[in-house]
Structure formats: C-alpha cells, structure tokens
Amino acid sequence: MNTTTTDFETCLCGSGMAYSACCGLYHRGESLPGTAEQLMRSRFSAYARRDVDYLLTSWDAGKRPANIDFSRETAVWQKLQIVDCKKGSTKDNKGIVEFKAFYNLDGEDYFMHEISRFVKSGGRWQYLDGTIKAAGKVTVDANAGRNALCSCGSGKKFKRCCGR
C-alpha cells in the first residue's frame, strides 16, 4: 500500500476527520463500514492510497477483478463529493451512492461522476458495480465565470457543483 497521507492528516473521503480515526479504521481491518456511503468513502480513500488489498476485499466476490494494477496510475485523487444516497443504511441490504470524485492528472483537474451499487452480505457491505454518468476536465468558461453551468453535466451552476 502506498500511503499518500499520514495517519493524522484529514481523511480524503471528505468526513473532516483524521485518516486514522476515519477510513484508516476500515483499511486496517479494525472496523467495518456500517453503511454503503461509509464503504464508498473508504474505497475512495483506498484508491487515493492505492490500497489494492482493501479495494479487492470490499468488492463483491462475483464482480471482483483478479487484481488492480496501479503501476501506471498517475492520477492524484483530491476529493470526494457525495451527491445522493438511496437506501444503504445499517438496516438495508442494498444501497446506491451517487458521487463525484476529483483528481489531478498531469497538472489538469478532472472529475468522474458515478452511480455505484452496493450489497450487504453476512453483515458486510460490498461494492457491486458502478455506472459512470460523466467524466472529463473540470472547466469554467472564463466569460461566464462561476455562474456558468458545470462541465460535469449535473445541470447545476459551477459554483454550486464542482466549484465548491
């Protein structure tokens, strides 16, 4: 595992907590995410840290790839924005989390807008699969400014979406 943050830095999942008290608990196996959203957040942090073991064990066995290769990965994951959650609570067995993930690649800022499905089996949430709604470069028309529609396709103004 390549740690891009220290245990005391703010967790990249967006919780505002220190990594060691947030997603670090899940990555170290000290706790299990109680909701689909918590699993989504922990998987984002795992991608940012290139934690292959956690990503594979948190993936549904029927959909899990044999391996994840980060050897050519140059993206620097920056932040996660949860857009919406449907079900996925501690009492549910299925959940959907819609999110936007932001990253930097070769000095340019990009986003990925995805809807992910999760299932709970044996009391443990697992990532099932996801559908990418939009992806691309984060841009703002200099003439329109922050009141322009966001380039991610959300239909919201940039200042209320990716510009937050």
Side-chain angles (χ1 to χ4, degrees), residues 17-153:
M17 298 171 54
Y19 169 77
S20 62
C22 190
C23 293
L25 294 171
Y26 308 133
H27 297 170
R28 292 188 306 270
E30 297 173 15
S31 184
L32 292 174
T35 67
E37 181 180 341
Q38 287 174 339
L39 180 60
M40 179 64 246
R41 290 181 179 279
S42 69
R43 285 179 56 82
F44 175 80
S45 290
Y47 265 101
R49 298 170 67 85
R50 292 159 172 71
D51 186 344
V52 172
D53 292 337
Y54 184 79
L55 291 168
L56 291 174
T57 59
S58 63
W59 212 313
D60 179 74
K63 299 275 190 162
R64 177 186 314 144
N67 195 12
I68 300 171
D69 182 7
F70 282 117
S71 66
R72 292 192 220 160
E73 175 74 34
T74 60
V76 177
W77 295 93
Q78 299 172 318
K79 72 176 183 173
L80 175 70
Q81 177 187 2
I82 302 296
V83 175
D84 192 22
C85 295
K86 294 179 182 159
K87 297 198 176 195
S89 74
T90 56
K91 297 178 183 179
D92 295 317
N93 288 321
K94 293 180 180 179
I96 295 174
V97 179
E98 181 178 353
F99 68 93
K100 293 178 187 172
F102 299 87
Y103 61 97
N104 186 283
L105 182 63
D106 299 327
E108 300 281 349
D109 290 327
Y110 293 87
F111 73 93
M112 180 182 74
H113 186 171
E114 181 175 313
I115 297 175
S116 293
R117 296 187 313 150
F118 297 85
V119 293
K120 186 164 56 171
S121 177
R124 183 180 185 134
W125 282 103
Q126 299 282 297
Y127 170 75
L128 187 60
D129 57 24
T131 302
I132 296 175
K133 287 185 67 171
K137 196 180 287 191
V138 176
T139 60
V140 177
D141 181 346
N143 295 325
R146 293 176 45 80
N147 286 318
L149 289 179
C150 191
S151 62
C152 77

